[in-house]
Amino acid sequence: MDGDATMAPVVLFDFDGVLIHGDAFYLFIRERYVRSLWRPLLALLCTPLLLLQLPFSRRLPVRMLVRIALLGLGEKRYQAIACGFAATLARRPRQFYRDGLHALRRHQAAGDRVIVVTGCEQVLVNGILQQLGLTNLEVFASQLRPGWLGMRPLRHNVGRRKVKQLAQHGLTAWQVAYSDSLLDVPMLKPAREVVLVNGTPKLCKKVEKALGRTITRVEWF
């Protein structure tokens, strides 16, 4: 990043629900189960444990299902499969918000410093953005790490963790932040302008109440 870019207005984009319909990593994990005979069976065998965990935390069952989906995948193999899925996803019709992609490109054309800040996994979201021809982007995302039995979650970049990751790169305030989720309130607070994408009136009121100010609401297709 050159000196001019570091002085440019900073614009943040969430990814899931802002640039893409749905949750990209969920789509990837679902594909892993669809293409496997033994993974769904193993998940079924783990159902009693998943049900025991559910009353205490929704994250624990989800992490276990992700671990099952990634069993047997080393780092290089995971990267190859994730990039292959990214290429497939990028070719799906109506999978992405055209208006969102146009907005991101407009900010780039204006010379803004555009950063995608997402809970999606780093390799997967990078692969998707590259397939869409979106270059010269910074991406702060969730990360996996190699384990004995395959890749496993290392850091889930959601909520306050987005703000912490931005702060680690010297960023504490930004001009615009695009999101579709109440979970992003910590990231939205420092923004001069907040844009809520395809939010219901109820969600919009909740976000405005949490922020203590009005926001911009857009409908993207």
Side-chain angles (χ1 to χ4, degrees):
M1 187 66 63
D2 59 33
D4 292 337
T6 58
M7 298 301 292
V10 176
V11 178
L12 308 183
F13 278 83
D14 188 17
F15 184 68
D16 297 316
V18 173
L19 299 178
I20 183 174
H21 290 274
D23 184 313
F25 192 66
Y26 165 78
L27 294 174
F28 172 75
I29 294 299
R30 186 180 68 178
E31 185 79 359
R32 296 290 297 160
Y33 278 97
V34 168
R35 292 183 174 273
S36 173
L37 294 176
W38 61 269
R39 293 181 203 276
L41 179 59
L42 181 55
L44 183 62
L45 292 173
C46 292
T47 298
L49 179 57
L50 296 173
L51 292 176
L52 284 173
Q53 294 174 333
L54 193 57
F56 303 99
S57 171
R58 296 188 64 181
R59 287 171 47 193
L60 291 175
V62 170
R63 286 175 70 91
M64 180 174 287
L65 291 172
V66 169
R67 291 287 303 278
I68 293 172
L70 300 177
L71 276 176
L73 291 183
E75 189 169 10
K76 290 185 178 179
R77 180 63 177 154
Y78 168 74
Q79 290 174 352
I81 292 176
C83 289
F85 181 75
T88 299
L89 204 61
R91 292 193 296 267
R92 288 184 184 175
R94 295 181 295 278
Q95 182 66 67
F96 298 88
Y97 287 111
R98 177 188 59 198
D99 297 330
L101 299 179
H102 286 171
L104 188 151
R105 290 188 173 103
R106 283 198 300 271
H107 281 292
Q108 284 188 309
D112 297 337
R113 180 181 178 183
V114 180
I115 306 174
V116 175
V117 189
T118 176
C120 187
E121 191 277 325
Q122 185 90 36
V123 174
L124 180 60
V125 67
N126 276 335
I128 294 171
L129 293 170
Q130 289 172 9
Q131 289 291 330
L132 294 172
L134 295 171
T135 57
N136 299 320
L137 283 173
E138 293 172 79
V139 179
F140 300 162
S142 296
Q143 295 179 342
L144 302 175
R145 65 179 177 87
W148 287 104
L149 299 177
M151 300 298 288
R152 57 187 300 172
L154 171 63
R155 184 179 300 109
H156 194 197
N157 192 42
V158 295
R160 296 186 182 279
R161 291 178 182 172
K162 290 187 175 184
V163 178
K164 290 181 179 178
Q165 194 171 29
L166 288 160
Q168 289 171 0
H169 290 78
L171 296 168
T172 56
W174 27 91
Q175 275 60 47
V176 189
Y178 293 86
S179 174
D180 73 319
S181 174
L182 190 63
L183 292 175
D184 278 337
V185 163
M187 182 183 81
L188 302 179
K189 282 185 177 180
R192 184 176 300 173
E193 179 184 0
V194 173
V195 182
L196 188 67
V197 178
N198 294 343
T200 63
K202 183 177 180 180
L203 176 59
C204 188
K205 288 180 181 179
K206 286 184 177 180
V207 173
E208 288 183 334
K209 183 178 180 180
L211 297 178
R213 56 192 169 102
T214 59
I215 62 175
T216 301
R217 183 180 168 210
V218 296
E219 295 291 332
W220 281 355
F221 299 92

